[in-house]
Structure formats: C-alpha cells, structure tokens
Amino acid sequence: MNSYLKRLFSRNTNPPTESRAIDDFFEWLTHKELTPEKEIALFDLWKKSTGEATADTLFSLSDILSRKQKKKEKTDSLRRPLVYISLIVLLILMPWYLIFTKTAQENARMVEFYSSSSLPEKHLLPDGSIVHTNAATLLLYPESFGEDTRTVYLVGEANFKVLKNGKLPFVVKSGDFSVTALGTEFDVSAYSDEYFFKTTLIEGAIRVSRKSRMTDITLDVGEQFYYDCDSKNFYVSEVNLSEATAWQRGELLFRGATIREILRVLERRYPVSFQYKLDVLNDDRYNFRFNQEAELEEILNIMRDVSDDFDYQIKNGSYYITNR
C-alpha cells in the first residue's frame, strides 16, 4: 500500500497537473481514510524534496490556505499531524500552482521564521523594525528586505513595530489581504485554521486592502478591521488595546468565544491535540482570561466548570472531549 501511495503523491506533485486535479488530490489527502499510510508516504516524499521557499511560495500558500479554509467542513476530530504534512505537499506544489493562479511575484530567496514556542518571540528585521510573533506563526521576507522592498508574508499572528521610511512602505501580506504602513505599530491575526482576518492599529496609521475586492480602509489608533471569511462581511470597530495585545504578554484572552474556538487556540499554545465529535460542544460563547503561568489542565477545568457542557480524558497525550 505504501508504494502505491508514494507513486500517487509523486504523480500529483510533478508537472503537469491541472488545477482541478490539485484540488481533488488535496481533498483526498485530508480525508481520514488511510491516514497512517498517507503520513508515512508523505514524510518519505518530504525527505526527498529539494525545493526552496521563495516569495511566490508563501504568497500562494497563504492564498490556498485562505480559500481552503472557506471550503473546510468541521470534522469530528482534529487530525493535526496529517494536516501539517499536507501543508508540506502544498509547498511542493507551489511552483506549478503559480501557473494556474498567474501570480506575478519576484522569485527572491526568502528568510523564514517559524514560532513553535508557546510564548511570543521577538525578531529584528534588517531595516530595524521589530516583530513579535505568537505561537504557530510563520513569517517570511526576502533577503533583499529593506533595499528595494519592505514586504513580509504572514500566516499566524504578529505585532509589528515599524521603523519609518517614506520611500519604502512596510507591507504585511496574508492571503487576499495587505496591510500597509509608513511608520507605526499594529497587530495582524491571520491563522489558517481560523475563519477571520483582523488587524488592529496601536500607533500611527495603516491601510488595509484586499485584492481589488473592496475599497482601501485606513484605520485610526485603537481601531480594528475584522473580516469574516464565512459571511464575507467586514467591519471596523474601536477595541481595548490592552486586551488586543494581551497575547504579547503571554496571556490567553477570550471574548465571546465558543469552546471550539478556544480549543483551537489552546492547540497552538500547548503541544496537544483535542479529539471530539461534532455534537459534543454547543455554540455558547464565553469570556475567559488566563495568565502566562496557567497550566493546560487548570484552564480546561475552569472552562469545564463554567460551561458545564463537557468533560475530558487524557489518553496517550491526546485530550478527548466528551459530554458531561
């Protein structure tokens, strides 16, 4: 079976492959059938890959993640290992995907940062700007950053303290969205497993644009742009900046969040996987705030007691959520 799967992966990760075929292959790849066998074959394929990440790579990866998220159905469990390895296959597919999306990006060598830590990490960019990345965040920028461009690519969440440069605007790209600044501080949240894109202005001014699908929007200090990927609606509202930046202090802050939404955040913060059926959790919304030192089981116990909606068991490192 493994040899058959390896041939299948190889055929779908080498040109020419039609864009529809790539989509069909992705849907099959993320289906739970034959999950262990697919993981083994994918890992073998990854070890043989010699590709390098470029500006094209992340731009297209963000675009695919954005579009796939809109089509994604909620499943009865979170199959994180296979999903992560599937993203590796998407990276391998990127050069050929560009043929069909006609994305015109500079083929530049990229510098990559990935934050796997549960706490924010600090990065100093070549132009002197400072970036703090949240857990499970991917940040890329060209090696020529600061010379003829100040564009970075983001999948995840980050805070940007931008050094002023009137000749070279600072641009953050993620999926369909671009956030442009001359000199300012702002947050961008664009996780691939979430159903929203949002950016919050802390200081200065920023402009939000979306691939000619909406009029550019300029934010004032203390305002947040929020786009709902399901309804395709967006709005601008005033927010509490202390709460909007709580993650930078290592805090976990939830306002009007469902238990499912909170579990997704906890999976990024802690090295765990939550397994549950669709009918286990309701859609009630809750407010929680946990400090940096809070342990996972302490958080889950508080959530369980407040919601009175679920219980959990730990088996082989996975957390199984059940009805209470």
Side-chain angles (χ1 to χ4, degrees):
M1 176 63 73
N2 283 347
S3 60
Y4 166 74
L5 291 175
K6 289 176 183 177
R7 290 196 301 272
L8 180 60
F9 290 141
S10 179
R11 185 170 66 246
N12 281 277
T13 54
N14 287 282
T17 302
E18 295 182 359
S19 57
R20 174 61 183 275
I22 293 176
D23 283 344
D24 291 343
F25 175 67
F26 181 91
E27 298 296 339
W28 171 84
L29 179 64
T30 55
H31 193 276
K32 64 183 179 180
E33 182 182 5
L34 297 176
T35 295
E37 291 85 353
K38 284 187 282 190
E39 289 182 2
I40 293 172
L42 278 165
F43 185 68
D44 181 75
L45 178 63
W46 169 246
K47 289 190 295 184
K48 296 178 180 178
S49 172
T50 58
E52 294 185 1
T54 66
D56 289 340
T57 305
L58 185 69
F59 187 87
S60 299
L61 172 60
S62 299
D63 185 58
I64 284 183
L65 291 176
S66 174
R67 285 197 266 162
K68 287 296 178 186
Q69 187 62 33
K70 298 169 190 176
K71 297 164 59 179
K72 174 182 172 184
E73 295 182 359
K74 295 180 181 178
T75 58
D76 60 354
S77 66
L78 304 178
R79 300 183 298 277
R80 295 175 69 83
L82 181 56
V83 171
Y84 285 151
I85 300 175
S86 300
L87 294 182
I88 292 172
V89 172
L90 286 177
L91 286 171
I92 297 171
L93 288 172
M94 287 309 148
W96 314 116
Y97 176 77
L98 291 174
I99 296 174
F100 304 104
T101 59
K102 298 181 180 179
T103 302
Q105 297 290 315
E106 180 182 1
N107 187 24
R109 292 180 61 85
M110 304 296 286
V111 177
E112 173 185 334
F113 289 108
Y114 179 73
S115 300
S116 58
S117 171
S118 60
L119 298 177
E121 295 185 6
K122 179 180 178 180
H123 310 286
L124 179 64
L125 298 182
D127 71 334
S129 297
I130 298 174
V131 183
H132 288 87
T133 52
N134 204 349
T137 292
L138 177 65
L139 178 73
L140 277 84
Y141 60 85
E143 286 185 346
S144 60
F145 183 91
E147 298 174 6
D148 54 4
T149 180
R150 289 204 301 167
T151 298
V152 301
Y153 301 85
L154 176 74
V155 178
E157 184 170 24
N159 171 270
F160 298 88
K161 294 180 175 66
V162 178
L163 213 61
K164 289 185 178 180
N165 185 333
K167 296 181 180 179
L168 284 180
F170 190 101
V171 181
V172 180
K173 291 190 175 183
S174 186
D176 287 350
F177 289 94
S178 297
V179 179
T180 304
L182 293 177
T184 185
E185 180 182 354
F186 60 98
D187 275 11
V188 176
S189 183
Y191 280 106
S192 61
D193 60 349
E194 296 289 2
Y195 293 87
F196 63 82
F197 169 93
K198 66 180 180 181
T199 181
T200 306
L201 180 61
I202 301 170
E203 181 182 336
I206 58 175
R207 183 177 68 250
V208 184
S209 56
R210 181 173 182 248
K211 283 189 178 178
S212 71
R213 299 181 186 179
M214 71 177 196
T215 303
D216 290 357
I217 294 176
T218 300
L219 298 187
D220 293 326
V221 174
E223 289 186 335
Q224 181 181 88
F225 170 90
Y226 186 100
Y227 177 83
D228 187 307
C229 298
D230 284 337
S231 66
K232 298 181 175 56
N233 294 324
F234 67 87
Y235 59 86
V236 175
S237 62
E238 293 186 1
V239 296
N240 183 315
L241 289 181
S242 177
E243 292 190 353
T245 58
W247 67 268
Q248 296 178 51
R249 302 185 293 274
E251 297 179 16
L252 286 169
L253 177 66
F254 303 99
R255 289 286 182 259
T258 66
I259 298 299
R260 290 190 188 91
E261 292 168 346
I262 295 174
L263 292 180
R264 285 203 297 270
V265 175
L266 295 180
E267 281 194 309
R268 294 195 290 265
R269 179 70 172 264
Y270 301 92
V272 299
S273 174
F274 292 104
Q275 312 289 335
Y276 58 88
K277 293 183 179 179
L278 285 174
D279 58 356
V280 170
L281 301 173
N282 60 41
D283 294 324
D284 292 345
R285 296 186 175 275
Y286 304 91
N287 297 331
F288 292 106
R289 188 168 199 157
F290 304 103
N291 62 33
Q292 179 176 320
E293 290 75 26
E295 296 183 356
L296 178 58
E297 291 185 32
E298 175 188 357
I299 293 174
L300 290 175
N301 290 340
I302 293 175
M303 291 169 53
R304 177 190 61 192
D305 294 342
V306 170
S307 69
D308 196 28
D309 182 46
F310 72 91
D311 206 341
Y312 69 92
Q313 294 180 329
I314 307 174
K315 296 180 181 178
N316 299 322
S318 291
Y319 287 68
Y320 290 83
I321 309 298
T322 59
N323 291 110
R324 192 167 188 178

